[in-house]
Protein backbone atom coordinates (compact mmCIF):
# COMPACT_ATOMS: atom_id res chain seq x y z
CA UNK A 1 0.00 0.00 0.00
CA UNK A 2 1.45 3.17 -0.96
CA UNK A 3 1.57 6.10 1.59
CA UNK A 4 0.40 9.68 0.93
CA UNK A 5 2.97 12.42 1.01
CA UNK A 6 2.50 15.03 3.66
CA UNK A 7 1.19 18.32 2.40
CA UNK A 8 4.56 19.87 2.79
CA UNK A 9 7.36 17.74 1.73
CA UNK A 10 10.83 18.30 3.00
CA UNK A 11 11.81 19.89 -0.25
CA UNK A 12 9.04 22.51 -0.04
CA UNK A 13 9.97 23.26 3.57
CA UNK A 14 13.47 23.95 2.65
CA UNK A 15 12.18 26.21 -0.13
CA UNK A 16 10.07 28.21 2.30
CA UNK A 17 12.98 28.60 4.58
CA UNK A 18 15.03 29.86 1.75
CA UNK A 19 12.36 32.41 0.63
CA UNK A 20 11.52 34.43 3.85
CA UNK A 21 9.23 37.36 3.10
CA UNK A 22 11.06 40.72 2.65
CA UNK A 23 9.84 44.33 2.88
CA UNK A 24 9.42 45.96 -0.46
CA UNK A 25 11.72 48.95 -0.98
CA UNK A 26 8.72 51.33 -1.15
CA UNK A 27 7.26 50.16 2.15
CA UNK A 28 10.63 50.35 3.81
CA UNK A 29 11.12 53.95 2.72
CA UNK A 30 7.64 54.87 4.04
CA UNK A 31 8.21 53.31 7.44
CA UNK A 32 11.62 54.91 7.70
CA UNK A 33 10.06 58.33 6.96
CA UNK A 34 7.39 57.83 9.65
CA UNK A 35 9.99 56.83 12.23
CA UNK A 36 12.16 59.85 11.50
CA UNK A 37 9.15 62.15 11.62
CA UNK A 38 8.07 60.85 15.01
CA UNK A 39 11.56 61.35 16.39
CA UNK A 40 11.86 64.85 14.93
CA UNK A 41 8.36 66.34 15.55
CA UNK A 42 7.49 64.42 18.67
CA UNK A 43 4.29 65.71 20.30
CA UNK A 44 3.10 67.69 17.29
CA UNK A 45 3.19 64.70 14.98
CA UNK A 46 1.37 62.43 17.46
CA UNK A 47 -1.21 65.25 17.97
CA UNK A 48 -2.13 64.97 14.27
CA UNK A 49 -2.97 61.30 14.52
CA UNK A 50 -4.92 61.44 17.79
CA UNK A 51 -8.58 60.48 17.78
CA UNK A 52 -10.94 63.42 17.12
CA UNK A 53 -12.25 63.72 20.68
CA UNK A 54 -8.75 63.71 22.08
CA UNK A 55 -7.73 66.46 19.67
CA UNK A 56 -10.72 68.53 20.77
CA UNK A 57 -9.71 68.14 24.40
CA UNK A 58 -6.21 69.21 23.54
CA UNK A 59 -7.55 72.30 21.71
CA UNK A 60 -9.50 73.22 24.82
CA UNK A 61 -6.34 73.01 26.89
CA UNK A 62 -4.18 74.99 24.49
CA UNK A 63 -6.82 77.62 23.48
CA UNK A 64 -9.35 77.86 26.34
CA UNK A 65 -12.81 79.25 25.34
CA UNK A 66 -13.78 82.40 27.38
CA UNK A 67 -16.66 82.10 29.76
CA UNK A 68 -19.72 83.21 27.77
CA UNK A 69 -21.05 85.55 30.50
CA UNK A 70 -17.69 87.25 30.92
CA UNK A 71 -17.40 87.63 27.17
CA UNK A 72 -20.88 89.15 26.97
CA UNK A 73 -20.08 91.65 29.71
CA UNK A 74 -16.82 92.69 28.07
CA UNK A 75 -18.49 93.16 24.69
CA UNK A 76 -21.28 95.21 26.27
CA UNK A 77 -18.74 97.36 28.09
CA UNK A 78 -16.86 97.99 24.84
CA UNK A 79 -20.08 98.99 23.06
CA UNK A 80 -20.96 101.42 25.87
CA UNK A 81 -17.46 102.92 25.81
CA UNK A 82 -17.68 103.39 22.03
CA UNK A 83 -21.10 105.05 22.38
CA UNK A 84 -19.80 107.42 25.06
CA UNK A 85 -16.81 108.34 22.91
CA UNK A 86 -19.09 109.07 19.94
CA UNK A 87 -21.36 111.24 22.13
CA UNK A 88 -18.35 113.18 23.42
CA UNK A 89 -17.09 113.69 19.87
CA UNK A 90 -20.52 114.83 18.77
CA UNK A 91 -20.80 117.17 21.75
CA UNK A 92 -17.38 118.66 21.07
CA UNK A 93 -18.26 119.07 17.44
CA UNK A 94 -21.66 120.75 17.87
CA UNK A 95 -21.60 122.63 21.16
CA UNK A 96 -19.63 125.81 21.63
CA UNK A 97 -19.92 128.48 24.30
CA UNK A 98 -20.01 131.56 22.07
CA UNK A 99 -19.74 133.82 25.14
CA UNK A 100 -16.28 132.47 26.02
CA UNK A 101 -13.46 133.67 23.81
CA UNK A 102 -11.13 136.57 23.06
CA UNK A 103 -11.01 139.76 21.01
CA UNK A 104 -8.96 139.64 17.80
CA UNK A 105 -8.06 142.58 15.59
CA UNK A 106 -9.78 142.32 12.20
CA UNK A 107 -9.34 144.96 9.50
CA UNK A 108 -11.07 142.84 6.84
CA UNK A 109 -14.56 142.56 8.34
CA UNK A 110 -14.64 145.39 10.87
CA UNK A 111 -16.45 147.69 11.22
CA UNK A 112 -19.68 146.04 10.04
CA UNK A 113 -20.96 149.45 8.86
CA UNK A 114 -19.79 153.06 8.89
CA UNK A 115 -21.03 155.60 11.41
CA UNK A 116 -21.83 158.03 8.59
CA UNK A 117 -23.92 155.41 6.77
CA UNK A 118 -26.39 154.92 9.62
CA UNK A 119 -28.57 157.98 10.30
CA UNK A 120 -30.28 156.30 13.27
CA UNK A 121 -27.38 156.54 15.74
CA UNK A 122 -28.12 159.06 18.50
CA UNK A 123 -25.58 161.88 18.92
CA UNK A 124 -24.68 160.36 22.32
CA UNK A 125 -23.07 157.43 20.45
CA UNK A 126 -21.47 159.00 17.35
CA UNK A 127 -17.87 159.06 18.57
CA UNK A 128 -16.19 159.81 15.22
CA UNK A 129 -18.49 162.75 14.57
CA UNK A 130 -17.60 164.12 18.00
CA UNK A 131 -13.86 164.04 17.45
CA UNK A 132 -12.59 160.67 18.63
CA UNK A 133 -9.07 160.59 17.14
CA UNK A 134 -8.53 156.81 17.03
CA UNK A 135 -10.50 154.12 15.17
CA UNK A 136 -9.02 150.99 16.71
CA UNK A 137 -12.12 150.38 18.84
CA UNK A 138 -13.98 149.61 15.58
CA UNK A 139 -11.54 146.91 14.46
CA UNK A 140 -12.06 144.19 17.06
CA UNK A 141 -13.96 140.97 16.39
CA UNK A 142 -15.14 138.52 19.05
CA UNK A 143 -13.61 135.05 18.53
CA UNK A 144 -15.16 132.26 20.66
CA UNK A 145 -12.89 129.43 21.77
CA UNK A 146 -13.27 126.40 19.52
CA UNK A 147 -15.73 127.80 16.95
CA UNK A 148 -16.65 130.86 14.92
CA UNK A 149 -19.63 133.17 15.29
CA UNK A 150 -22.03 132.91 12.35
CA UNK A 151 -21.81 135.94 10.07
CA UNK A 152 -24.70 138.33 10.71
CA UNK A 153 -26.95 137.87 7.68
CA UNK A 154 -29.15 140.96 7.32
CA UNK A 155 -31.16 139.44 4.46
CA UNK A 156 -31.98 136.31 6.48
CA UNK A 157 -32.88 138.48 9.47
CA UNK A 158 -35.28 140.62 7.46
CA UNK A 159 -36.94 137.60 5.86
CA UNK A 160 -37.43 136.13 9.33
CA UNK A 161 -39.02 139.40 10.45
CA UNK A 162 -41.41 139.54 7.49
CA UNK A 163 -44.88 140.23 8.87
CA UNK A 164 -43.52 140.24 12.44
CA UNK A 165 -42.76 142.54 15.34
CA UNK A 166 -39.45 142.65 17.22
CA UNK A 167 -38.99 144.55 20.49
CA UNK A 168 -36.02 145.65 22.60
CA UNK A 169 -37.24 146.48 26.13
CA UNK A 170 -35.16 148.14 28.83
CA UNK A 171 -32.76 151.03 29.39
CA UNK A 172 -30.35 153.10 27.27
CA UNK A 173 -27.90 150.20 26.95
CA UNK A 174 -30.65 148.16 25.35
CA UNK A 175 -31.48 151.14 23.16
CA UNK A 176 -27.85 151.11 21.99
CA UNK A 177 -28.21 147.45 21.01
CA UNK A 178 -31.48 148.32 19.26
CA UNK A 179 -29.86 151.08 17.21
CA UNK A 180 -26.94 148.79 16.35
CA UNK A 181 -29.45 146.22 15.10
CA UNK A 182 -31.14 148.82 12.87
CA UNK A 183 -27.75 149.87 11.47
CA UNK A 184 -26.96 146.24 10.60
CA UNK A 185 -30.11 145.74 8.50
CA UNK A 186 -31.32 149.11 7.19
CA UNK A 187 -29.03 149.20 4.13
CA UNK A 188 -31.07 146.43 2.49
CA UNK A 189 -34.23 148.52 2.67
CA UNK A 190 -34.88 151.30 0.12
CA UNK A 191 -35.00 154.83 1.55
CA UNK A 192 -38.70 155.25 0.77
CA UNK A 193 -39.56 151.93 2.40
CA UNK A 194 -38.29 152.56 5.93
CA UNK A 195 -39.01 155.01 8.73
CA UNK A 196 -38.38 155.61 12.43
CA UNK A 197 -40.84 157.31 14.75
CA UNK A 198 -41.09 157.85 18.51
CA UNK A 199 -44.25 157.76 20.61
CA UNK A 200 -43.29 158.52 24.20
CA UNK A 201 -41.61 155.42 25.58
CA UNK A 202 -41.93 153.59 22.25
CA UNK A 203 -39.65 154.00 19.22
CA UNK A 204 -40.68 152.15 16.05
CA UNK A 205 -38.54 151.37 12.99
CA UNK A 206 -40.73 150.18 10.11
CA UNK A 207 -39.53 148.09 7.15
CA UNK A 208 -42.53 148.62 4.88
CA UNK A 209 -41.68 146.07 2.19
CA UNK A 210 -41.38 143.40 4.86
CA UNK A 211 -44.44 144.53 6.84
CA UNK A 212 -42.12 144.38 9.86
CA UNK A 213 -41.42 146.64 12.82
CA UNK A 214 -38.38 146.71 15.09
CA UNK A 215 -39.19 148.60 18.27
CA UNK A 216 -37.57 149.92 21.43
CA UNK A 217 -39.57 150.42 24.62
CA UNK A 218 -38.10 152.50 27.44
CA UNK A 219 -38.57 150.70 30.78
CA UNK A 220 -35.27 150.88 32.72
CA UNK A 221 -36.58 148.73 35.60
CA UNK A 222 -39.12 146.72 33.52
CA UNK A 223 -41.46 147.47 36.44
CA UNK A 224 -43.23 150.83 36.77
CA UNK A 225 -41.00 153.51 38.30
CA UNK A 226 -40.59 157.25 38.71
CA UNK A 227 -37.94 157.08 35.95
CA UNK A 228 -40.29 155.97 33.18
CA UNK A 229 -40.37 159.21 31.22
CA UNK A 230 -38.39 158.48 28.06
CA UNK A 231 -36.92 162.01 28.00
CA UNK A 232 -36.90 163.31 31.58
CA UNK A 233 -35.78 160.37 33.68
CA UNK A 234 -32.70 161.56 35.55
CA UNK A 235 -34.22 161.03 38.99
CA UNK A 236 -31.88 160.86 41.96
CA UNK A 237 -34.38 159.31 44.38
CA UNK A 238 -35.46 156.28 42.35
CA UNK A 239 -38.64 154.43 43.33
CA UNK A 240 -39.90 151.18 41.80
CA UNK A 241 -43.47 149.97 42.22
CA UNK A 242 -43.79 146.33 43.26
CA UNK A 243 -45.88 143.99 41.09
CA UNK A 244 -46.37 146.59 38.37
CA UNK A 245 -44.94 144.99 35.24
CA UNK A 246 -48.35 145.01 33.51
CA UNK A 247 -48.18 148.83 33.38
CA UNK A 248 -45.57 148.46 30.64
CA UNK A 249 -46.26 144.87 29.66
CA UNK A 250 -49.52 145.64 27.91
CA UNK A 251 -47.41 147.38 25.24
CA UNK A 252 -45.27 144.30 24.66
CA UNK A 253 -48.01 141.79 23.88
CA UNK A 254 -48.01 140.35 20.40
CA UNK A 255 -44.28 140.75 19.78
CA UNK A 256 -42.60 137.84 17.97
CA UNK A 257 -39.02 138.44 19.16
CA UNK A 258 -38.33 140.19 22.49
CA UNK A 259 -34.98 141.29 23.94
CA UNK A 260 -35.09 142.39 27.60
CA UNK A 261 -32.42 144.05 29.71
CA UNK A 262 -32.28 145.80 33.07
CA UNK A 263 -29.33 146.47 35.39
CA UNK A 264 -27.77 149.92 35.42
CA UNK A 265 -30.66 151.74 37.08
CA UNK A 266 -30.69 149.34 40.02
CA UNK A 267 -27.16 150.29 41.00
CA UNK A 268 -27.61 153.29 43.29
CA UNK A 269 -24.99 152.58 45.94
CA UNK A 270 -27.70 152.09 48.56
CA UNK A 271 -30.92 150.17 49.12
CA UNK A 272 -33.73 150.41 46.57
CA UNK A 273 -36.99 152.13 47.48
CA UNK A 274 -39.99 149.95 46.65
CA UNK A 275 -43.51 151.37 46.45
CA UNK A 276 -46.14 148.93 47.73
CA UNK A 277 -49.20 150.87 46.64
CA UNK A 278 -49.75 153.24 43.72
CA UNK A 279 -47.96 156.39 42.60
CA UNK A 280 -51.39 158.04 42.78
CA UNK A 281 -51.77 157.38 46.51
CA UNK A 282 -51.67 160.51 48.65
CA UNK A 283 -49.75 158.71 51.34
CA UNK A 284 -47.25 156.37 49.72
CA UNK A 285 -46.13 153.21 51.46
CA UNK A 286 -42.45 152.73 50.63
CA UNK A 287 -40.11 150.05 51.95
CA UNK A 288 -36.41 149.58 51.32
CA UNK A 289 -34.79 146.44 49.89
CA UNK A 290 -31.23 145.47 49.16
CA UNK A 291 -30.27 145.82 45.51
CA UNK A 292 -30.17 142.03 45.16
CA UNK A 293 -33.63 141.49 46.67
CA UNK A 294 -35.16 144.27 44.59
CA UNK A 295 -33.55 142.94 41.42
CA UNK A 296 -34.78 139.42 42.24
CA UNK A 297 -38.29 140.84 42.56
CA UNK A 298 -37.97 142.28 39.03
CA UNK A 299 -36.63 138.99 37.60
CA UNK A 300 -39.51 137.05 39.12
CA UNK A 301 -42.02 139.55 37.70
CA UNK A 302 -40.47 139.40 34.23
CA UNK A 303 -40.36 135.59 34.13
CA UNK A 304 -43.92 135.34 35.43
CA UNK A 305 -45.14 137.88 32.86
CA UNK A 306 -43.43 136.08 29.97
CA UNK A 307 -44.89 132.77 31.11
CA UNK A 308 -48.40 134.19 31.13
CA UNK A 309 -48.27 136.38 28.02
CA UNK A 310 -45.79 134.91 25.54
CA UNK A 311 -46.49 131.74 23.54
CA UNK A 312 -43.14 129.90 23.29
CA UNK A 313 -44.31 128.34 20.01
CA UNK A 314 -44.62 131.79 18.45
CA UNK A 315 -42.29 134.11 20.37
CA UNK A 316 -38.55 133.98 21.04
CA UNK A 317 -37.54 135.78 24.23
CA UNK A 318 -33.99 136.90 25.08
CA UNK A 319 -32.45 138.53 28.13
CA UNK A 320 -29.22 140.52 27.78
CA UNK A 321 -27.04 140.41 30.90
CA UNK A 322 -25.58 143.48 32.55
CA UNK A 323 -23.50 145.87 30.50
CA UNK A 324 -20.27 146.68 32.37
CA UNK A 325 -18.80 150.13 32.93
CA UNK A 326 -15.14 151.08 33.37
CA UNK A 327 -14.87 153.82 35.98
CA UNK A 328 -11.71 152.63 37.80
CA UNK A 329 -8.63 152.23 35.63
CA UNK A 330 -6.62 151.08 38.63
CA UNK A 331 -8.48 147.77 38.33
CA UNK A 332 -6.77 146.97 35.01
CA UNK A 333 -3.38 148.40 35.94
CA UNK A 334 -4.06 152.04 35.04
CA UNK A 335 -3.57 155.20 37.01
CA UNK A 336 -5.34 155.96 40.27
CA UNK A 337 -8.32 158.22 39.56
CA UNK A 338 -8.42 157.29 35.88
CA UNK A 339 -11.21 155.62 33.94
CA UNK A 340 -12.03 154.70 30.33
CA UNK A 341 -10.80 158.06 29.02
CA UNK A 342 -7.89 157.69 26.58
CA UNK A 343 -8.16 153.89 26.54
CA UNK A 344 -7.59 152.52 23.03
CA UNK A 345 -7.06 148.76 23.47
CA UNK A 346 -9.03 145.93 25.13
CA UNK A 347 -8.01 144.32 28.41
CA UNK A 348 -6.08 141.13 27.59
CA UNK A 349 -6.37 139.47 31.01
CA UNK A 350 -8.93 136.65 30.43
CA UNK A 351 -9.82 136.60 34.16
CA UNK A 352 -10.59 140.32 34.39
CA UNK A 353 -13.90 141.23 35.98
CA UNK A 354 -14.53 144.85 36.95
CA UNK A 355 -16.11 145.81 40.25
CA UNK A 356 -18.77 147.78 38.33
CA UNK A 357 -20.29 144.45 37.28
CA UNK A 358 -21.81 143.09 40.46
CA UNK A 359 -21.44 139.32 40.62
CA UNK A 360 -24.24 139.18 43.19
CA UNK A 361 -26.62 140.38 40.47
CA UNK A 362 -25.34 137.74 38.04
CA UNK A 363 -25.98 135.19 40.78
CA UNK A 364 -29.58 136.37 41.18
CA UNK A 365 -30.13 136.08 37.40
CA UNK A 366 -28.67 132.57 37.37
CA UNK A 367 -30.76 131.39 40.32
CA UNK A 368 -34.05 132.74 39.01
CA UNK A 369 -33.50 131.51 35.44
CA UNK A 370 -32.59 128.01 36.66
CA UNK A 371 -35.74 127.78 38.78
CA UNK A 372 -37.99 129.04 35.98
CA UNK A 373 -39.48 126.82 33.28
CA UNK A 374 -40.10 129.84 31.05
CA UNK A 375 -38.03 129.49 27.83
CA UNK A 376 -35.77 132.58 27.75
CA UNK A 377 -32.41 132.64 25.96
CA UNK A 378 -29.70 134.28 28.07
CA UNK A 379 -27.27 136.54 26.17
CA UNK A 380 -24.27 136.64 28.49
CA UNK A 381 -22.47 139.72 27.18
CA UNK A 382 -20.96 140.77 30.54
CA UNK A 383 -17.59 139.02 30.53
CA UNK A 384 -16.75 139.75 26.89
CA UNK A 385 -17.78 143.40 27.34
CA UNK A 386 -15.69 143.66 30.51
CA UNK A 387 -12.58 143.44 28.32
CA UNK A 388 -13.62 146.47 26.22
CA UNK A 389 -12.47 149.44 28.27
CA UNK A 390 -11.63 151.09 24.93
CA UNK A 391 -15.14 150.91 23.43
CA UNK A 392 -17.00 153.52 25.52
CA UNK A 393 -18.11 156.90 24.19
CA UNK A 394 -15.88 158.57 26.80
CA UNK A 395 -15.82 162.34 26.00
CA UNK A 396 -16.68 161.87 22.30
CA UNK A 397 -20.43 162.45 22.36
CA UNK A 398 -23.04 165.18 22.45
CA UNK A 399 -22.88 166.97 25.81
CA UNK A 400 -26.31 168.03 27.02
CA UNK A 401 -24.93 170.68 29.34
CA UNK A 402 -22.03 173.12 28.74
CA UNK A 403 -18.75 171.86 30.16
CA UNK A 404 -17.08 173.83 32.95
CA UNK A 405 -13.46 174.95 32.85
CA UNK A 406 -12.67 172.39 35.53
CA UNK A 407 -14.14 169.62 33.40
CA UNK A 408 -12.31 170.75 30.30
CA UNK A 409 -9.07 170.74 32.27
CA UNK A 410 -9.72 167.15 33.37
CA UNK A 411 -11.50 165.21 30.58
CA UNK A 412 -11.69 162.01 32.66
CA UNK A 413 -14.07 163.87 35.01
CA UNK A 414 -16.85 163.93 32.39
CA UNK A 415 -16.00 160.79 30.37
CA UNK A 416 -18.98 158.50 29.76
CA UNK A 417 -17.70 155.03 30.69
CA UNK A 418 -21.17 153.47 30.54
CA UNK A 419 -22.39 153.81 26.94
CA UNK A 420 -20.67 152.44 23.83
CA UNK A 421 -19.61 153.96 20.50
CA UNK A 422 -21.36 152.77 17.34
CA UNK A 423 -20.20 151.00 15.28
CA UNK A 424 -18.49 148.97 17.98
CA UNK A 425 -19.05 146.55 20.80
CA UNK A 426 -22.85 146.40 20.63
CA UNK A 427 -22.70 145.08 17.06
CA UNK A 428 -21.14 141.98 18.62
CA UNK A 429 -24.09 141.71 21.01
CA UNK A 430 -26.33 141.50 17.95
CA UNK A 431 -24.07 138.93 16.30
CA UNK A 432 -24.57 136.81 19.42
CA UNK A 433 -28.32 137.45 19.28
CA UNK A 434 -28.31 136.35 15.63
CA UNK A 435 -26.34 133.19 16.50
CA UNK A 436 -28.74 132.22 19.28
CA UNK A 437 -31.81 133.05 17.19
CA UNK A 438 -30.85 130.89 14.21
CA UNK A 439 -28.46 128.35 15.74
CA UNK A 440 -29.77 127.79 19.29
Amino acid sequence: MSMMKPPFSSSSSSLLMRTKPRLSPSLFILLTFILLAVIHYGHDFIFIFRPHNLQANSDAALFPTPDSETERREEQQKVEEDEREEEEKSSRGHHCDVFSGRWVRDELTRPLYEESECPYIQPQLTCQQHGRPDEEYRRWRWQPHGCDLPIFNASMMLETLRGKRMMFIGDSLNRGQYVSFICLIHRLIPENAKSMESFGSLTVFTAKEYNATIEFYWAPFLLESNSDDAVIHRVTDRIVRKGSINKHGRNWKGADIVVFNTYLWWITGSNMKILLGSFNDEVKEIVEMSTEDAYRMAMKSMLRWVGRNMDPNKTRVFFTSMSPSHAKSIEWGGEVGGNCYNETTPIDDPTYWGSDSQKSIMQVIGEEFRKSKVPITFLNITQLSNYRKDAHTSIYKKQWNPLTQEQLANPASYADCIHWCLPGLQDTWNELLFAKLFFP
Side-chain angles (χ1 to χ4, degrees), residues 161-416:
L161 289 173
R162 189 178 288 279
K164 292 185 171 58
R165 183 178 172 217
M166 182 177 186
M167 288 196 82
F168 290 78
I169 300 164
D171 59 24
S172 59
L173 279 314
N174 211 19
R175 181 167 53 206
Q177 184 177 356
Y178 164 71
V179 172
S180 160
F181 189 90
I182 300 298
C183 291
L184 287 166
I185 65 166
H186 86 97
R187 284 172 295 177
L188 296 185
I189 308 167
E191 284 301 319
N192 61 353
K194 59 189 174 186
S195 63
M196 183 180 278
E197 300 174 275
S198 291
F199 310 92
S201 295
L202 184 65
T203 301
V204 181
F205 176 87
T206 303
K208 296 172 186 175
E209 289 184 346
Y210 294 88
N211 187 29
T213 60
I214 304 159
E215 307 172 21
F216 169 73
Y217 187 93
W218 171 263
F221 294 99
L222 301 184
L223 304 177
E224 183 184 1
S225 76
N226 64 346
S227 303
D228 286 345
D229 190 296
V231 179
I232 306 168
H233 47 246
R234 294 178 180 273
V235 180
T236 304
D237 191 25
R238 299 171 191 169
I239 302 172
V240 178
R241 181 182 163 211
K242 183 178 181 181
S244 59
I245 197 167
N246 286 325
K247 168 76 182 299
H248 298 309
R250 64 172 181 262
N251 298 287
W252 312 335
K253 291 182 179 181
D256 300 282
I257 300 174
V258 177
V259 184
F260 287 106
N261 97 307
T262 183
Y263 169 67
L264 182 67
W265 286 71
W266 297 92
I267 308 306
T268 63
S270 58
N271 287 344
M272 284 297 303
K273 291 184 177 180
I274 306 299
L275 175 67
L276 299 182
S278 166
F279 280 105
N280 295 323
D281 295 340
E282 264 189 56
V283 179
K284 296 177 176 58
E285 184 180 359
I286 296 174
V287 298
E288 290 194 4
M289 286 187 184
S290 69
T291 301
E292 290 76 13
D293 287 344
Y295 192 87
R296 189 183 301 276
M297 174 189 71
M299 288 296 97
K300 287 178 180 291
S301 291
M302 179 193 71
L303 291 165
R304 189 163 50 242
W305 189 91
V306 171
R308 290 173 179 172
N309 295 280
M310 297 286 184
D311 181 352
N313 296 316
K314 295 179 180 178
T315 303
R316 285 293 302 277
V317 182
F318 298 85
F319 183 84
T320 304
S321 67
M322 55 195 185
S323 175
S325 52
H326 292 87
K328 308 180 188 76
S329 58
I330 192 173
E331 293 185 349
W332 58 82
E335 295 179 1
V336 176
N339 54 25
C340 70
Y341 172 67
N342 247 359
E343 294 290 348
T344 58
T345 57
I347 295 168
D348 58 9
D349 176 5
T351 65
Y352 176 80
W353 185 282
S355 62
D356 293 328
S357 301
Q358 293 193 14
K359 288 190 174 181
S360 58
I361 296 296
M362 287 291 273
Q363 185 176 347
V364 168
I365 297 171
E367 289 170 356
E368 294 306 318
F369 273 51
R370 278 193 296 271
K371 286 190 293 186
S372 173
K373 294 181 181 179
V374 176
I376 295 186
T377 302
F378 184 55
L379 296 177
N380 188 3
I381 56 89
T382 306
Q383 179 72 77
L384 63 93
S385 303
N386 253 305
Y387 303 137
R388 295 303 308 277
K389 61 180 170 61
D390 62 309
H392 292 286
T393 54
S394 184
I395 65 171
Y396 307 106
K397 55 179 282 186
K398 178 180 176 63
Q399 304 295 334
W400 296 107
N401 298 306
L403 298 171
T404 65
Q405 290 301 315
E406 290 79 8
Q407 287 176 316
L408 291 170
N410 179 20
S413 66
Y414 67 95
D416 181 345

Side-chain angles (χ1 to χ4, degrees), residues 31 86 95 136 139 151 154 181 194 208 293 412 426 428:
L31 291 173
E86 285 302 314
H95 175 73
E136 286 298 292
R139 306 289 185 194
I151 296 171
F181 189 90
K194 59 189 174 186
K208 296 172 186 175
D293 287 344
Q426 291 187 300
T428 296

Side-chain angles (χ1 to χ4, degrees), residues 102-120:
R102 61 193 178 91
W103 289 99
V104 296
R105 196 172 181 281
D106 183 350
E107 288 195 22
L108 294 177
T109 68
R110 291 304 189 269
L112 296 178
Y113 54 89
E114 292 295 334
E115 179 184 294
S116 59
E117 294 173 355
C118 187
Y120 306 103

